[in-house]
Amino acid sequence: MQVILGANGQIGEELARELKRNYTSEIRIVSREAKKVNDTDIVFSADLSNKKSAIEAVKGSEIAYFTLGLPISSDLWEKQFPLILRNVIDACKINGTKLVFFDNTYMYPQDGRLLTEETLFDPVGRKGKVRREMAEMVMKEIESGELEAVICRAPEFYGPGKTQSITNTLIFNNIKENKKLRVPLRDDKLRSLIWTPDASRATALIGNTPDAFGQTWHLPIDDNMLNYNQFINLASKIYGKELQYSVVPKFVFKIGARFNERVKELQELLPRYKYDNLFDDSKFKKRFPEFQVTTYKEGIEQIKNEKLLK
């Protein structure tokens, strides 16, 4: 049995499909309002902020994947994320379950340095500090030897379906709605973007590779890093039309933050758009050379075709 904690987002759904395709049909889907992804899934509705519920959710499973997301609220993150993760860690220890922790890059320095698995944490803002605390909780358990766990870390998403990210919101959602595209701060800085189905496939692969545990893995991205200008030009060729965009300066976000709570919450994430975002996935690619990474061209084509099918 493998259990997905927080399975109703894009990563969790794709993970469930990948596990069914290549690893096991014994999958438990856990969330507040759990819904099947595959017809053979077992659903378990639970509030993981309750420790007893977390223990029951993990019970009987060999591997638990933590892919849970919360609305982008610093207050909520500070109150809920460490508590939920603590409950999940304790539940895994009680049940003898391995933990696969799906992580992001918010705890890293938000500048132009090359980011590797060894980069020291230096978060900007409250959400980054929460993600540092969570990553350090898992690392501490690994170092103590009391929990068999692994960290799978992904940069910003782009992708199909429910994918949520600044790139999807400002670029692909606007393409679908025939609106002018927006780019935060700079269009000439390199971006590291991961195709969400690739993130899920790589997480499933790591979770089912015993010698991958006890460490952190950067998940794989297209080696051909692009800046937003190049990315949108590529999208224009694929969509067969010139996609117009504008660069949104920092002061516009500041003004918007006065009137929109979501824009306010995004403020601390903006520094990374001022610099090249260089995410090193060479460790993964060396260990798993057979893994086929989706190119930006292939990913954008899939997003376009998804729109045409609707």
Side-chain angles (χ1 to χ4, degrees), residues 9-178:
Q10 186 69 16
I11 294 298
E13 286 192 2
E14 295 286 353
L15 177 58
R17 295 188 186 101
E18 178 65 11
L19 291 177
K20 175 66 184 291
R21 273 194 300 264
N22 290 310
Y23 302 101
T24 181
S25 294
E26 296 184 356
I27 301 167
R28 182 184 297 145
I29 302 291
V30 178
S31 66
R32 284 180 179 269
E33 297 180 2
K35 298 176 182 178
K36 285 187 177 184
V37 178
N38 308 297
D39 57 1
T40 54
D41 292 342
I42 299 168
V43 295
F44 188 93
S45 295
D47 176 2
L48 297 175
S49 66
N50 180 288
K51 187 171 181 177
K52 289 183 179 179
S53 294
I55 293 170
E56 286 301 312
V58 172
K59 189 175 182 179
S61 63
E62 177 190 0
I63 303 170
Y65 299 85
F66 187 101
T67 63
L68 186 143
L70 291 175
I72 190 165
S73 161
S74 293
D75 286 342
L76 186 62
W77 281 34
E78 289 169 349
K79 292 175 183 175
Q80 290 289 307
F81 254 149
L83 170 63
I84 291 171
L85 180 57
R86 181 74 263 163
N87 289 342
V88 168
I89 287 173
D90 290 345
C92 287
K93 290 163 75 172
I94 289 168
N95 286 292
T97 301
K98 297 179 182 180
L99 175 63
V100 179
F101 179 64
F102 188 87
D103 202 7
N104 64 27
T105 60
Y106 289 8
M107 76 295 294
Y108 282 148
Q110 303 298 313
D111 55 27
R113 78 187 71 183
L114 181 67
L115 301 174
T116 74
E117 289 88 347
E118 306 304 319
T119 299
L120 296 178
F121 298 163
D122 187 16
V124 174
R126 294 166 65 188
K127 284 179 278 294
K129 290 177 181 177
V130 171
R131 296 304 304 197
R132 175 180 64 184
E133 179 183 355
M134 295 171 73
E136 289 177 344
M137 285 171 64
V138 177
M139 291 164 63
K140 183 178 179 180
E141 294 294 338
I142 290 172
E143 290 167 3
S144 73
E146 294 183 12
L147 176 68
E148 195 168 358
V150 63
I151 296 175
C152 299
R153 185 165 291 139
E156 183 183 342
F157 302 149
Y158 84 106
K162 300 178 181 178
T163 299
Q164 294 185 16
S165 69
I166 289 178
T167 295
N168 260 55
T169 298
L170 298 183
I171 294 180
F172 294 111
N173 290 358
N174 284 344
I175 292 176
K176 291 176 184 177
E177 297 169 9
N178 293 314

Side-chain angles (χ1 to χ4, degrees), residues 9 18 57 77 153 155-156 172 187 243-244 260 266 299 302 309:
E18 178 65 11
W77 281 34
R153 185 165 291 139
E156 183 183 342
F172 294 111
D187 67 348
L243 298 169
Q244 300 291 330
N260 185 297
L266 289 174
Q302 287 188 49
L309 290 172

